[in-house]
Amino acid sequence: MSWPKPSNHRTNPNQTSFIPPDPPVKSKPARSWRLAVASTWLTTTLLMGLGHGSISYAATTTLPPSGTSTVHTTAATTENRLTYTAVEGAHYYTIALRSDGSVWAWGRNMFGELGVSEDIRYRHTSSPIRIPGISNVIAISAAGGGINAAVQADGTVWEWGAGTLPYQVEGISSAKDVVTGSFNTALLRNGTVMSWQRHGTQGNDSEVIHRPHAVNGLKDIIQVGSSGQQGYALKKDGSLWTWNEPNQPDDTPSKPAKLKGLSNISSITSTDTSLLVLDQNGKVWGLNEKGKPVAQHHDLKVKQMDGNSQYILLLTTSGEVYSYGRTVTGKEGRVKHLSGITDISAGYHHSLALSSNGTVWGWGSDKYQEAGAPATSSGGMVYRPVQAKLGIDVYINDELLQSTYSAVQTQHTVQLPVRAAATAIGAAFEMNQVNGIVEAYSLQYEDRTVTIRPNETEATVKSTSSSTAQSISLPEPISNYSGATTVPFEVFEALGLTVNWDEEASLLTIQSDT
């Protein structure tokens, strides 16, 4: 009998190299892993200024050559096309893994759950924002308490969220997957398991260091999961084992015990109230109060499942998605307008699906754009799945701009967080106020100054070498997204900089001549 490799929607399937062997907290199992080819960059501490923190990073990937005018590209080669490879829904937010090994997030950030700043909060993102400090990621996980984790290709595990930037978990160097929950669990390349308490869960002391400990007695493990303080491990032989995780950092886990009545299991997942298992025939089983298997929707042949907040998502072998229980839209059965789906994720109040072409689709609650786009119905709801944006990389003088706020593609242009971009290019941005009311904004770089008035698409450009000002037309007025003042990228062109916007690659570059 041949056993399938663990398969998880949190992992990146596009790797071409190999490295050897608040609400109830949601936890999902680890299923499959393949290392991802990812872009690399160095990350240091975010610089904060006037509520618009940013820092630039040296680019290690080759950028498009700079031109002398804006280039709008509408085509890209298949091998260079960026896609999402995994997605995770949490409590009013989403994190996703991109094919270049970068991690992106969107949705609520009122409590710092996105992990892009230690002290800046905003209600929601207006576009995906790149998580700083991690790269070459092969697996991701998100929990309802705002704690997220990732595994890099070098086997290290990183955590972030709840007001903290990404930091490395001590003592793990050979992980291939990670699961967050009431406690966190890492599956190592040799089939063993390590677990630890989440950052800040020991009372109210967020400074307590929780070092991982081995869960003794587990080997040949292909998946891990958890529900509350109960851990689960799926062995290669199809048997399921469980242990109790201590809630004190110095205690050790209980000895794992085999769950009886379950065999030939190919994957596991857990909701906030129960455990679900999938057998090798594509049938889903739950456990009753006595721990005995109970058939679940055996009319479907399932290849993947996920659960949360008293509902479950089932992905069939034909690529269709079904939802049962207290669903995010209140409707049970097949989720319409979805086909060719390869991955699913059950957030607390929104659901997500990844299609075979690498696009993410979201539905359900969308008060904070956690589904990936503005709500389409009253009450902040999305009943018909909407496509999430890809997220925009901005390079300034060949360095990656990592701002606390994202760039936002609109119908006519790309809006940039102006303070962060201005700082990176070495320009000065000012708001000109009269009696507390902003009358104009100005952006000055070398000998040029661009002046823009609120709600207007006309701007003036003045050079110190000329006595007359030039009027230019902008595709959109200056704006505000996620709490940041933003300007169309054409403003930077007006400063004499070379700007290239590649829509297919979701890449914007700004280059100075000096």
Side-chain angles (χ1 to χ4, degrees), residues 102 388 437:
S102 61
I437 300 175

Side-chain angles (χ1 to χ4, degrees), residues 281-301:
N281 296 318
K283 302 302 180 183
V284 178
W285 301 83
L287 299 179
N288 63 17
E289 294 180 355
K290 296 182 179 181
K292 294 185 177 180
V294 178
Q296 300 276 345
H297 310 289
H298 276 197
D299 54 320
L300 301 175
K301 188 170 185 180

Side-chain angles (χ1 to χ4, degrees), residues 379-449:
M381 289 292 295
V382 168
Y383 291 99
R384 178 171 177 167
V386 293
Q387 183 178 342
K389 298 177 182 178
L390 187 59
I392 299 171
D393 278 322
V394 179
Y395 278 83
I396 296 179
N397 285 335
D398 298 338
E399 294 186 333
L400 177 64
L401 176 70
Q402 180 70 61
S403 171
T404 305
Y405 301 91
S406 62
V408 179
Q409 183 179 0
T410 66
Q411 184 177 357
H412 304 291
T413 185
V414 174
Q415 293 267 354
L416 297 176
V418 64
R419 294 188 190 274
T423 299
I425 203 67
F429 176 72
E430 292 184 356
M431 293 188 298
N432 305 312
Q433 301 185 40
V434 176
N435 296 325
I437 300 175
V438 177
E439 295 228 332
Y441 302 88
S442 64
L443 193 62
Q444 187 269 328
Y445 177 72
E446 294 184 345
D447 66 338
R448 294 193 186 190
T449 301

Side-chain angles (χ1 to χ4, degrees), residues 95-401:
I95 66 171
L97 177 60
R98 210 168 67 172
S99 54
D100 62 353
S102 61
V103 181
W104 297 74
W106 56 89
R108 191 178 68 177
N109 193 45
M110 296 173 65
F111 307 102
E113 48 264 72
L114 300 188
V116 295
S117 173
E118 292 182 338
D119 48 21
I120 293 178
R121 307 285 187 268
Y122 42 81
R123 185 180 185 275
H124 71 278
T125 57
S126 299
S127 187
I129 187 165
R130 189 173 192 155
I131 303 301
I134 53 176
S135 60
N136 294 317
V137 171
I138 62 171
I140 57 175
S141 182
I147 298 296
N148 315 295
V151 179
Q152 292 189 153
D154 61 2
T156 58
V157 175
W158 296 74
E159 291 181 349
W160 72 93
T164 62
L165 295 168
Y167 59 91
Q168 185 177 346
V169 177
E170 295 183 12
I172 302 178
S173 59
S174 61
K176 65 178 182 180
D177 209 348
V178 63
V179 173
T180 57
S182 296
F183 62 96
N184 294 343
T185 309
L187 175 62
L188 306 188
R189 295 174 187 145
N190 63 3
T192 61
V193 177
M194 300 188 76
S195 61
W196 66 100
Q197 292 295 314
R198 295 191 293 114
H199 182 73
T201 56
Q202 180 62 29
N204 294 319
D205 188 356
S206 62
E207 301 302 319
V208 173
I209 298 176
H210 304 285
R211 292 181 174 84
H213 45 243
V215 182
N216 295 323
L218 293 178
K219 62 180 181 178
D220 297 326
I221 302 302
I222 60 173
Q223 286 182 297
V224 289
S226 67
S227 180
Q229 294 301 121
Q230 195 79 11
Y232 297 98
L234 175 61
K235 278 194 174 183
K236 186 178 180 181
D237 63 5
S239 62
L240 184 60
W241 297 70
T242 184
W243 76 94
N244 290 318
E245 184 71 17
N247 55 15
Q248 298 296 326
D250 297 328
D251 293 345
T252 58
S254 67
K255 182 179 179 180
K258 183 178 179 180
L259 284 177
K260 299 179 180 180
L262 294 171
S263 61
N264 297 322
I265 302 171
S266 62
S267 68
I268 60 175
T269 193
S270 57
T271 70
D272 54 350
T273 57
S274 63
L275 175 73
L276 296 174
V277 301
L278 181 67
D279 67 23
Q280 291 189 3
N281 296 318
K283 302 302 180 183
V284 178
W285 301 83
L287 299 179
N288 63 17
E289 294 180 355
K290 296 182 179 181
K292 294 185 177 180
V294 178
Q296 300 276 345
H297 310 289
H298 276 197
D299 54 320
L300 301 175
K301 188 170 185 180
V302 176
K303 66 178 180 180
Q304 190 176 320
M305 57 188 180
D306 196 19
N308 205 335
S309 191
Q310 300 183 34
Y311 82 100
I312 61 173
L313 289 177
L314 303 177
L315 175 61
T316 67
T317 54
S318 61
E320 295 181 327
V321 179
Y322 289 78
S323 186
Y324 295 100
R326 190 178 295 176
T327 67
V328 296
T329 61
K331 296 181 180 180
E332 293 187 301
R334 187 173 72 85
V335 180
K336 297 180 180 179
H337 311 294
L338 288 176
S339 62
I341 300 302
T342 60
D343 192 11
I344 52 176
S345 179
Y348 273 87
H349 305 294
H350 70 294
S351 299
L352 300 149
L354 180 69
S355 69
S356 57
N357 65 359
T359 55
V360 168
W361 299 83
W363 66 99
S365 173
D366 197 38
K367 293 190 295 184
Y368 305 95
Q369 294 195 25
E370 60 268 33
T376 55
S377 299
S378 61
M381 289 292 295
V382 168
Y383 291 99
R384 178 171 177 167
V386 293
Q387 183 178 342
K389 298 177 182 178
L390 187 59
I392 299 171
D393 278 322
V394 179
Y395 278 83
I396 296 179
N397 285 335
D398 298 338
E399 294 186 333
L400 177 64
L401 176 70

Side-chain angles (χ1 to χ4, degrees), residues 57-84:
Y57 306 90
T60 58
T61 54
T62 303
L63 296 177
S66 297
T68 57
S69 61
T70 304
V71 176
H72 294 266
T73 304
T74 57
T77 58
T78 302
E79 58 269 22
N80 292 330
R81 178 176 171 268
L82 291 174
T83 62
Y84 286 121

